[in-house]
Amino acid sequence: MLYNNLGDFMFFIYDNINNYTDNDYQDMLNSLNVDDKKKITEIIRISDKKLSILSRFLLKSILSQKYHLDYNNIFFNEYNKPLIEGIFFNISHSYEYVVLAFSNNEIGIDIEKIRKVDLNIINGFCTDNEKDYILNSKDKYKSLFEIYTLKESYFKMLGTDLSNIKNVDLINNVKSNLNIKLIYDIPEYIISMTEKTGK
């Protein structure tokens, strides 16, 4: 697990599912609550199951060690956004990696592996300005996933779905009350974080 401090109250951690054995995963799963165990056992793919176990276990550990909170007493809204006064966190995973962000402000995080995809997918989530940015970039796939992860982290910070994703331009129209970070700590991956810093 790698810990990255981005300020007095904002930090994120990430980990790779291949860092642990099957016995480790069984121990982690055993430490989780009944609801999590039930949801995780219904997951078919082994890699997805490991991502879920690791993300919940890391969350439980950080909340206990850093914030002295019992994970079992946390409530989530309909979009799986946690409801804790004064402490905000968010989870994302992609392929082999899990990331978690923590802050004393509303926060969202997203991770994606940079890979070749059909570039026509930009029509589903980009503004015209964002399309131009991607299509005129040297590395179109990297730029695509920069925009996508930024938007995903933004809506996760809001705690809503992505129904309005095409109407939000995060290149030229970034609000002054947002702290936005693109992080390239993991080769071939992009991590985006969006933190609300004021009203």
Side-chain angles (χ1 to χ4, degrees), residues 10-177:
M10 181 182 181
F11 68 94
F12 74 101
I13 61 172
Y14 63 87
D15 211 339
N16 187 306
I17 60 172
N18 296 316
N19 290 339
Y20 303 91
T21 67
D22 289 343
N23 285 338
D24 292 331
Y25 280 104
Q26 190 58 55
D27 289 343
M28 285 188 245
L29 180 63
N30 289 339
S31 75
L32 300 179
N33 63 39
V34 174
D35 288 340
D36 280 343
K37 287 178 187 175
K38 183 179 178 189
K39 290 174 188 172
I40 289 168
T41 53
E42 292 172 355
I43 297 171
I44 304 299
R45 289 181 59 198
I46 298 297
S47 60
D48 290 341
K49 193 170 285 196
K50 288 181 177 180
L51 288 166
S52 293
I53 292 171
L54 183 56
S55 63
R56 291 295 168 182
F57 179 78
L58 291 175
L59 174 60
K60 179 182 175 186
S61 299
I62 292 291
L63 289 176
S64 173
Q65 294 167 17
K66 184 170 177 64
Y67 297 106
H68 310 292
L69 291 173
D70 183 353
Y71 168 75
N72 294 323
N73 293 330
I74 296 169
F75 296 97
F76 297 83
N77 75 6
E78 61 187 301
Y79 303 108
N80 207 30
K81 186 173 177 63
L83 306 172
I84 314 173
E85 187 174 346
I87 299 170
F88 301 92
F89 61 85
N90 202 236
I91 300 170
S92 182
H93 43 73
S94 178
Y95 287 78
E96 300 174 340
Y97 280 93
V98 169
V99 291
L100 295 88
F102 297 83
S103 178
N104 65 342
N105 297 308
E106 298 275 5
I107 195 163
I109 192 167
D110 192 50
I111 183 172
E112 286 289 343
K113 186 172 186 176
I114 302 167
R115 59 197 187 274
K116 288 187 176 180
V117 293
D118 182 351
L119 290 173
N120 287 319
I121 68 170
I122 65 176
N123 296 317
F125 67 89
C126 290
T127 64
D128 289 341
N129 186 45
E130 291 165 341
K131 289 178 192 176
D132 289 342
Y133 170 77
I134 291 167
L135 296 175
N136 292 316
S137 296
K138 277 187 177 180
D139 188 336
K140 294 178 176 56
Y141 300 109
K142 179 181 175 185
S143 298
L144 182 154
F145 284 108
E146 284 175 340
I147 297 298
Y148 183 80
T149 58
L150 281 172
K151 289 195 165 196
E152 182 83 18
S153 70
Y154 174 75
F155 282 97
K156 289 174 76 176
M157 180 266 305
L158 292 178
T160 61
D161 62 22
L162 301 174
S163 58
N164 200 32
I165 194 168
K166 284 183 70 172
N167 299 323
V168 174
D169 185 332
L170 292 177
I171 295 179
N172 290 330
N173 297 315
V174 176
K175 297 178 181 178
S176 60
N177 68 336

